[in-house]
Amino acid sequence: MKPIPLRELRLLGVAKRWQIDYPLSQLDSLEPVKGWVQAQLSGSELQVSGSGSTLVELCCDRCLKTFSYRLKAHAEELIAVGSNLDSGLNTELDGAVESLDPEASFDGDQWLFEQLSLQLPLKRLCDFNCSGIMVNQINHEPKAVDPRWAALGELSEKP
């Protein structure tokens, strides 16, 4: 979907809803994002809600193998729209923590990308019981000791 100017949303007077069934350019996913985004401008508030899901490929933090992960998001947000933006600070309007210039446009793809990105796990594990990188202990030869640490090794060998 292409960004829509806020003045167009204001002229509509009702909520504009977009169906999404395509890949988002900023999200590297294995399948198209499926979902919807809805935006309505009323007064000095842009009310946005949406839902989306897709399949992404992640790398396990323990074993470094890649795995598929179902990414889902559902969000509702109030964004302040108005002239209080000249201070350069975000305003709070009935719970809104973000603000837009009245001459700006709303980009639904960007908004949904941000909501999906917030759902990515901080710790990425292929399985809760992932044991990590396994080293073959049978054919593993001990590493040569750095000569600078040899004196410490001798201390541990003394009774």
Side-chain angles (χ1 to χ4, degrees), residues 16-81:
K16 172 90 171 152
R17 186 178 177 107
W18 297 270
Q19 285 300 122
I20 296 176
D21 189 5
Y22 51 85
L24 295 178
S25 61
Q26 299 157 307
L27 185 65
D28 191 19
S29 59
L30 299 173
E31 63 184 27
V33 174
K34 295 181 192 264
W36 56 274
V37 174
Q38 180 173 306
Q40 180 174 8
L41 187 59
S42 57
S44 59
E45 292 180 345
L46 177 62
Q47 301 167 340
V48 184
S49 59
S51 183
S53 70
T54 189
L55 193 64
V56 294
E57 188 173 69
L58 301 177
C59 181
C60 180
D61 289 339
R62 287 186 185 159
C63 69
L64 303 178
K65 292 180 184 174
T66 58
F67 64 99
S68 297
Y69 182 80
R70 176 62 57 186
L71 190 57
K72 298 179 195 175
H74 179 80
E76 296 178 11
E77 184 175 16
L78 288 176
I79 303 172
V81 177

Side-chain angles (χ1 to χ4, degrees), residues 145-146 149-159:
V145 177
D146 185 331
W149 295 100
L152 287 176
E154 291 172 10
L155 289 174
S156 66
E157 294 173 4
K158 292 183 180 179

